[in-house]
Structures are given as structure tokens and as C-alpha cells.
């Protein structure tokens, strides 16, 4: 992290020796056909022509046909082995982790030279892929081709290249141009993706949450202007109203713990197409584990799970934080929860957010 994270690429040969593809190609094809799964098919024709098809994709090209690749996003939500692979990267705070994408490519398949705005760990899980990478700057300007339906660099000048075999891993910080081309068929690459909020988007999301309390916040007050004089400029916004607006926004953001709560809720909000299978209350004497689809985080005063926040202190907070950190709580730890926290756990189990451990 000190030397490479957000700074320099890193190639690690046999980072994950003996790694197995989290899914086989038939399983990936089934997922691509599912409308709850985000997938894309990128094919390259002779003469540098590219086509992009958004999923669901009912029928893939023949495995033996060269130069196509299928990308399946969020595999961790559907395949336990993919979630386990993503969890190997929890040395980065989970608030920054996004998902595990898997790409399958036939011989010569790839998505073309491009750059991403996020960090990525590219893990070769089957077959071989030839990666060429280079900084954006002098010779690779970042200009995109305007004749292709995906983001492909117009002038990619690679600085380094390597062929990755199963178990090898390449880390790229944001903004490094890269081009990965399958060498031979049956090439599978898993990408660990990250999330990094834009300041403006985050402010937007938090302000919505900070102000969507149903009841009027305590101490709320309506704008009043008893000293307003008659005006010849009825179009002009009164300065006092601008000052009132500024104070309103600052007040919403500075209420004690309000921002912390909104942030935790936003960071754990499930993605739009994520749903949970309802379950039953935890059986007596059992531990608990988080569903692979659950997002659970905490801060000094709260625990957050799937967009909801709870104040927690004392032993309950210690145990709930343990559940968030290790995604599992032993039967002995579950037994140490207060009655209130135990009821909460049962509710989460009924909602399908946790499963018997
Ligand atoms: C791929 O797996 O083909 C593309 C992954 C990436 O470039 O980020
Ligand atoms: Co990329």
C-alpha cells in the first residue's frame, strides 16, 4: 500500500498460486443471460471495427470464434467463490471496495487500450493474457477514438508489457492506460474494482439524506422578513434569503452525527439490482455470517448495514464491529449480544442480510 496504492503499477507473479476460476465459462454464459446481472459483450472485427452489446446476452459467439470478450460485473453478488476472491482484497477498507468483474475472452479478445478512473487489481484466473501498460501523458494523450462504441484510446504508446498466467496479478492505479489481449482461448481475468466518490456527487447524496427526515427537524424555522421594504427590483433574490439558505445547508450538515449517519447509510446502500432472499430468525446456538450481498460498516458511534444505521455502544458495538470486520460472528459471540442486539440480528436474518454461520 505504501509504495504502490494509487501511485505505481505492480506486477505480482503468483500472487494467488493455484487460483481457480470462480465460475466456469458455461456458468458465466448463464449469468450473462440473466437480466439481473450486468454484462457486456465486446467483439472486434478485422479492420479495427469494434461492437459492443449490453446484456442480457442470450447467445454468445462460438467459443472457438476469435476476438470477442464477455464481461460480467458484480460476480461477487451471485457466486460465493467470487465473493471469497473479492474478500482477499479487504486489506483495503471495504468502503472503497466495489465489486469483482470477470471477463472471459476467446483468442485475441479484449476491450482495447483504455484507462479507468479507479484502481484495479487484475488477476489472471485461467488462460493467458498479454497486458501492455503505459502512463497517460506525453505519447498517450488520453484522446479517445470517436469511431468505436467503447472507450478506446486513439494513441496508445505502451511502456511495459507482460504475459499473465493463472495466479499472476497486475495492480494499476487510476489513469494508467492498459490493453489486455487474450493469448489463446479460454482466457479469464478477474478485476477487483474500487469506488471512489466524486466530491460533488457525495455532497448531493449526503444532502438528500441529511434533509429527507420525515418530521421537521427540532429547532426548524421558516424564513421571515419583517424588515423587507417595498422594492422596485422584484426580480432580485433578497440577500437575507441567500443567507438563510446557506445557514440551512450548513445546519443540516453540522447537526451532531448527522453527516456520519448519512455517510454510513450511503456507503452501505445496496446497488439498485441487489435483492435479498428472506430467511428465518437465527437458530438458537448458531453463529451468524453476512450474506455476500450485505454491506456492513461502522464508525465510532454507529454500525451500518445495507443503508440502515444503528447506534451501538459497549459490548454490542464490539461484537457488531467484529461482524463487520470478519463478516462472521461465532455462536459464542452471538450468545454474548444483548437482547436488543440479538433481536436485531434475527430481523436481519429474516431480511436475508445475515445467514446462520
Ligand atoms: C478485461 O478484463 O478484459 C478488462 C479489464 C480492464 O481493463 O479493466
Ligand atoms: Co480497464
Amino acid at each position: 500500500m505504501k509504495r504502490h496504492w494509487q501511485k505505481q503499477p505492480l506486477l505480482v507473479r503468483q500472487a494467488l498460486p493455484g487460483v481457480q476460476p470462480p465460475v466456469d465459462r458455461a456458468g458465466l454464459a448463464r449469468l450473462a443471460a440473466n437480466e439481473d446481472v450486468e454484462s457486456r459483450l465486446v467483439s472486434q472485427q478485422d479492420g479495427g471495427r469494434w461492437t459492443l452489446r449490453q446484456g442480457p446476452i442470450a447467445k454468445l459467439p462460438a467459443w472457438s470464434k476469435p476476438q470477442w470478450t464477455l464481461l460480467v460485473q458484480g460476480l461477487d453478488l451471485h457466486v460465493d467463490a467470487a465473493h471469497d476472491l473479492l474478500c482477499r482484497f479487504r486489506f483495503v477498507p471495504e468502503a472503497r471496495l466495489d465489486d469483482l468483474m470477470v471477463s472471459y475472452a476467446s483468442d485475441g479478445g479484449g476491450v482495447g487500450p483504455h484507462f479507468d478512473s479507479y484502481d484495479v487489481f487484475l488477476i489472471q484466473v485461467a488462460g493467458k493474457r498479454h497486458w501492455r501498460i503505459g502512463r497517460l501523458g506525453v505519447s498517450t494523450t488520453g484522446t479517445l477514438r470517436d469511431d468505436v462504441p467503447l472507450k478506446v484510446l486513439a494513441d496508445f504508446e505502451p511502456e511495459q508489457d507482460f504475459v499473465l498466467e493463472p495466479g499472476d496479478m497486475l495492480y494499476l492505479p487510476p489513469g494508467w492506460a492498459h490493453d489486455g489481449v487474450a493469448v489463446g482461448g479460454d482466457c479469464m481475468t478477474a478485476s477487483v474494482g474500487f469506488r471512489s466518490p466524486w466530491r460533488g456527487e457525495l455532497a448531493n447524496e449526503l444532502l438528500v439524506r441529511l434533509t429527507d427526515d420525515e418530521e421537521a427537524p427540532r429547532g426548524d424555522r421558516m424564513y421571515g422578513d419583517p424588515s423587507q421594504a417595498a422594492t422596485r427590483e422584484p426580480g432580485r433574490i433578497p440577500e437575507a434569503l441567500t443567507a438563510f439558505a446557506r445557514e440551512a445547508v450548513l445546519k443540516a450538515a453540522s447537526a451532531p452525527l448527522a453527516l456520519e449517519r448519512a455517510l454510513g447509510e450511503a456507503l452501505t446502500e445496496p446497488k439498485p439490482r441487489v435483492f435479498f432472499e428472506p430467511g428465518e430468525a437465527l437458530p438458537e446456538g448458531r453463529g451468524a455470517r453476512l450474506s455476500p450481498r450485505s454491506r456492513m460498516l461502522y464508525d465510532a458511534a454507529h454500525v451500518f448495514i445495507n443503508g440502515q444505521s444503528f447506534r451501538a455502544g459497549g459490548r454490542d458495538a464490539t461484537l457488531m464491529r467484529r461482524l463487520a470486520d470478519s463478516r462472521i460472528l461465532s455462536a459464542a459471540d452471538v450468545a454474548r449480544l444483548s437482547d436488543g442486539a440479538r433481536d436485531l440480528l434475527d430481523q436481519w436474518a429474516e431480511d436475508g442480510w445475515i445467514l446462520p454461520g
Side-chain angles (χ1 to χ4, degrees):
M1 292 296 278
K2 214 182 271 173
R3 283 199 302 266
H4 294 276
W5 179 247
Q6 299 236 299
K7 302 167 201 77
Q8 287 295 326
L10 175 67
L11 171 68
V12 184
R13 293 283 180 201
Q14 292 306 293
L16 294 156
V19 70
Q20 292 296 314
V23 64
D24 60 14
R25 66 183 190 185
L28 206 59
R30 271 195 300 278
L31 284 164
N34 180 337
E35 60 183 28
D36 291 323
V37 179
E38 200 183 324
S39 62
R40 285 168 292 159
L41 177 68
V42 176
S43 319
Q44 212 185 329
Q45 281 77 34
D46 291 334
R49 235 170 43 81
W50 296 81
T51 53
L52 166 70
R53 247 180 73 197
Q54 299 287 349
I57 294 154
K59 195 164 168 15
L60 292 173
W63 303 118
S64 58
K65 186 174 188 281
Q67 295 193 323
W68 63 270
T69 182
L70 169 72
L71 304 124
V72 175
Q73 209 74 48
L75 198 72
D76 50 295
L77 300 171
H78 306 282
V79 176
D80 285 352
H83 184 256
D84 293 345
L85 184 55
L86 179 64
C87 283
R88 303 281 302 260
F89 293 82
R90 291 178 88 239
F91 56 87
V92 179
E94 189 160 321
R96 292 280 275 115
L97 271 181
D98 189 14
D99 75 336
L100 189 95
M101 179 187 90
V102 162
S103 67
Y104 172 91
S106 68
D107 189 19
V111 297
H114 67 281
F115 65 94
D116 303 305
S117 319
Y118 305 99
D119 309 78
V120 65
F121 287 94
L122 299 153
I123 308 139
Q124 194 59 23
V125 294
K128 292 185 197 175
R129 190 184 281 274
H130 182 196
W131 284 101
R132 297 180 304 150
I133 67 169
R135 254 166 310 192
L136 286 186
V138 191
S139 23
T140 304
T141 60
T143 311
L144 299 177
R145 275 174 60 171
D146 56 11
D147 59 336
V148 284
L150 52 159
K151 282 207 242 162
V152 174
L153 287 165
D155 57 356
F156 178 46
E157 284 288 342
E159 296 172 84
Q160 294 170 28
D161 76 319
F162 359 74
V163 174
L164 266 64
E165 304 209 7
D168 293 345
M169 182 180 83
L170 175 63
Y171 162 73
L172 293 175
W176 271 71
H178 51 286
D179 186 17
V181 178
V183 181
D186 281 332
C187 165
M188 243 198 244
T189 306
S191 319
V192 174
F194 293 87
R195 38 163 78 186
S196 212
W198 285 94
R199 199 160 54 179
E201 270 175 30
L202 188 61
N204 174 273
E205 179 162 13
L206 296 184
L207 280 171
V208 169
R209 284 179 188 270
L210 283 166
T211 50
D212 72 357
D213 274 341
E214 274 145 41
E215 310 149 41
R218 244 180 301 149
D220 202 5
R221 109 182 142 77
M222 190 189 280
Y223 177 65
D225 50 0
S227 51
Q228 175 67 54
T231 180
R232 285 184 196 285
E233 296 177 313
R236 185 188 292 277
I237 296 171
E239 268 173 29
L241 183 51
T242 307
F244 180 78
R246 191 178 318 281
E247 189 207 313
V249 171
L250 292 176
K251 204 164 172 50
S254 60
L257 295 183
L259 186 101
E260 287 81 350
R261 192 173 61 239
L263 178 63
E265 290 177 1
L267 290 172
T268 56
E269 186 68 45
K271 289 188 188 170
R273 279 192 279 185
V274 174
F275 56 86
F276 295 87
E277 309 279 351
E280 284 171 12
L282 267 191
E284 262 329 298
R286 290 288 293 272
R289 67 189 167 85
L290 287 177
S291 152
R293 295 178 180 180
S294 281
R295 297 187 71 94
M296 188 175 189
L297 301 172
Y298 59 86
D299 67 11
H302 309 90
V303 296
F304 306 100
I305 180 167
N306 298 334
Q308 293 194 9
S309 52
F310 302 89
R311 290 297 296 273
R315 184 157 69 188
D316 282 343
T318 309
L319 295 168
M320 290 297 192
R321 289 173 183 183
R322 188 169 297 164
L323 176 59
D325 282 333
S326 20
R327 299 188 65 87
I328 188 155
L329 210 51
S330 67
D333 278 345
V334 170
R336 292 170 63 218
L337 288 167
S338 70
D339 288 349
R342 168 66 213 228
D343 287 349
L344 211 49
L345 223 55
D346 279 335
Q347 182 59 54
W348 297 348
E350 284 169 21
D351 293 339
W353 294 0
I354 60 165
L355 309 163

